[in-house]
Amino acid sequence: VWDAASGALVRTLEGHTDRVVSVAVSRDGKWIVSASRDSTVKVWDAASGALVRTLEGHTDRVVSVAVSWDGKWIVSGSYDRTVKVWDPLSGALLRTLEGHTAPVVSVTVLRDGKWIVSGSYDSTVKMWDAASGALVRTLEGHTDGVLSVTVSWDGKWIVSGSYDSTVKMWNAASGALVRTLEGHTDGVVSVAVSRDGKWIVSASRESTVKVCDATSGSVAQSCASMSEAADFMQARDTILEDVSMASEAAWQEIATVAGSVVVWLPPSTRGGWAGSCGMGSFFTFNKRRELNILCISNK
């Protein structure tokens, strides 16, 4: 964890026995949650850095983790092809969501807590009832593994990025494919939606970031870095809300795309929405539209 003002290292959270590949922070800033190739999820006290508890139950590497908006659930996706829902207070495993036929590499939770969304190497996006764990629907259309999923601020759209080089927008209520955004020439490892829903941002293994008009699907800007994309949207008075990334193989590429500034703005001064982007980093935008990144390095 880094001090945003000075760039000084505040603390290092140690305890995993293999690479840490995804992190998330609770909305109230109390917890940092990490997922690792050691098949565990760990919950840390953000203020002290103390390990609060270890969540065990996955049988293969855990590559994506998310915290529900109200902080009641931790959701994890694993190479064991399951999604697990945990109680962060007790550490109890609440339910296991089964249905994917390949590793689950990206998970997110709608802000109202109604649905959990997962993306998998089986080329599908699945929507689950968060309360019961029942499969609501499967979104099919990608022709290769889904690397990243996110949900618009208002919960109307699900956005997915895939190894097939496309970004797809789905109607969350019906599951219908709304449009396919094309332009990347390699796998899309990260997708984001602006708070006003006007822009969809995607990062690809070809080392570009594209800003697309959510209504038309046209590429409004092709950028060489996340900071350039932030500048583009700042000029249009919009805030990037969520960046989610899931492919472990793509972590090195996206680290280059994201740039070299590695900081984390504390919750007390952040003021904007923060999101897990998996595979070792955590993005926030503060009130000044500044991009801040918390990186968990792989030893």
Side-chain angles (χ1 to χ4, degrees):
V1 181
W2 310 82
D3 183 278
S6 67
L9 176 64
V10 177
R11 62 183 60 89
T12 299
L13 312 182
E14 295 183 292
H16 284 292
T17 58
D18 206 334
R19 293 179 181 178
V20 179
V21 291
S22 181
V23 293
V25 179
S26 62
R27 186 188 177 204
D28 61 10
K30 291 182 178 180
W31 297 325
I32 296 172
V33 182
S34 58
S36 169
R37 291 180 60 169
D38 66 11
S39 304
T40 71
V41 174
K42 290 185 182 292
V43 182
W44 312 82
D45 181 277
S48 68
L51 177 62
V52 177
R53 60 185 55 86
T54 298
L55 311 181
E56 298 180 293
H58 283 293
T59 59
D60 205 338
R61 66 184 71 174
V62 185
V63 294
S64 184
V65 67
V67 182
S68 65
W69 188 248
D70 59 9
K72 292 182 178 179
W73 298 325
I74 292 171
V75 180
S76 55
S78 169
Y79 265 54
D80 66 11
R81 306 180 182 185
T82 71
V83 176
K84 292 186 182 294
V85 183
W86 314 82
D87 183 328
L89 296 178
S90 67
L93 176 61
L94 300 178
R95 59 191 63 89
T96 297
L97 314 182
E98 298 180 296
H100 282 294
T101 58
V104 179
V105 294
S106 184
V107 293
T108 191
V109 185
L110 269 72
R111 287 170 179 79
D112 62 7
K114 183 178 180 180
W115 293 327
I116 293 168
V117 180
S118 58
S120 168
Y121 283 163
D122 65 12
S123 305
T124 71
V125 175
K126 291 185 182 292
M127 299 175 62
W128 312 83
D129 183 283
S132 68
L135 178 63
V136 177
R137 62 180 59 92
T138 298
L139 311 182
E140 297 179 295
H142 283 295
T143 58
D144 207 337
V146 176
L147 303 177
S148 179
V149 292
T150 192
V151 181
S152 63
W153 177 269
D154 58 12
K156 292 181 178 180
W157 313 110
I158 293 171
V159 180
S160 56
S162 168
Y163 263 130
D164 67 12
S165 306
T166 71
V167 175
K168 291 185 182 293
M169 290 179 61
W170 313 83
N171 184 299
S174 67
L177 177 62
V178 177
R179 62 184 52 89
T180 298
L181 312 182
E182 299 179 317
H184 286 294
T185 59
D186 206 340
V188 179
V189 296
S190 177
V191 289
V193 183
S194 63
R195 179 173 181 175
D196 57 14
K198 292 181 179 179
W199 308 102
I200 293 175
V201 183
S202 55
S204 169
R205 287 163 54 94
E206 86 247 0
S207 300
T208 65
V209 179
K210 293 187 183 296
V211 182
C212 292
D213 185 297
T215 301
S216 67
S218 61
V219 177
Q221 184 79 0
S222 186
C223 309
S225 68
M226 285 299 297
S227 59
E228 185 180 338
D231 289 341
F232 174 82
M233 288 182 296
Q234 179 180 352
R236 285 148 185 82
D237 196 30
T238 191
I239 303 175
L240 184 62
E241 285 304 332
D242 181 26
V243 180
S244 56
M245 179 174 62
S247 172
E248 182 174 357
W251 163 235
Q252 292 301 326
E253 287 94 338
I254 199 61
T256 302
V257 171
S260 59
V261 178
V262 183
V263 295
W264 180 63
L265 196 66
S268 60
T269 58
R270 185 164 61 222
W273 198 81
S276 164
C277 47
M279 296 305 102
S281 63
F282 174 79
F283 288 72
T284 75
F285 273 84
N286 64 15
K287 290 178 179 177
R288 297 181 300 278
R289 313 296 205 270
E290 294 170 343
L291 172 66
N292 304 281
I293 310 168
L294 164 67
C295 278
I296 301 289
S297 64
N298 293 336
K299 292 186 176 181

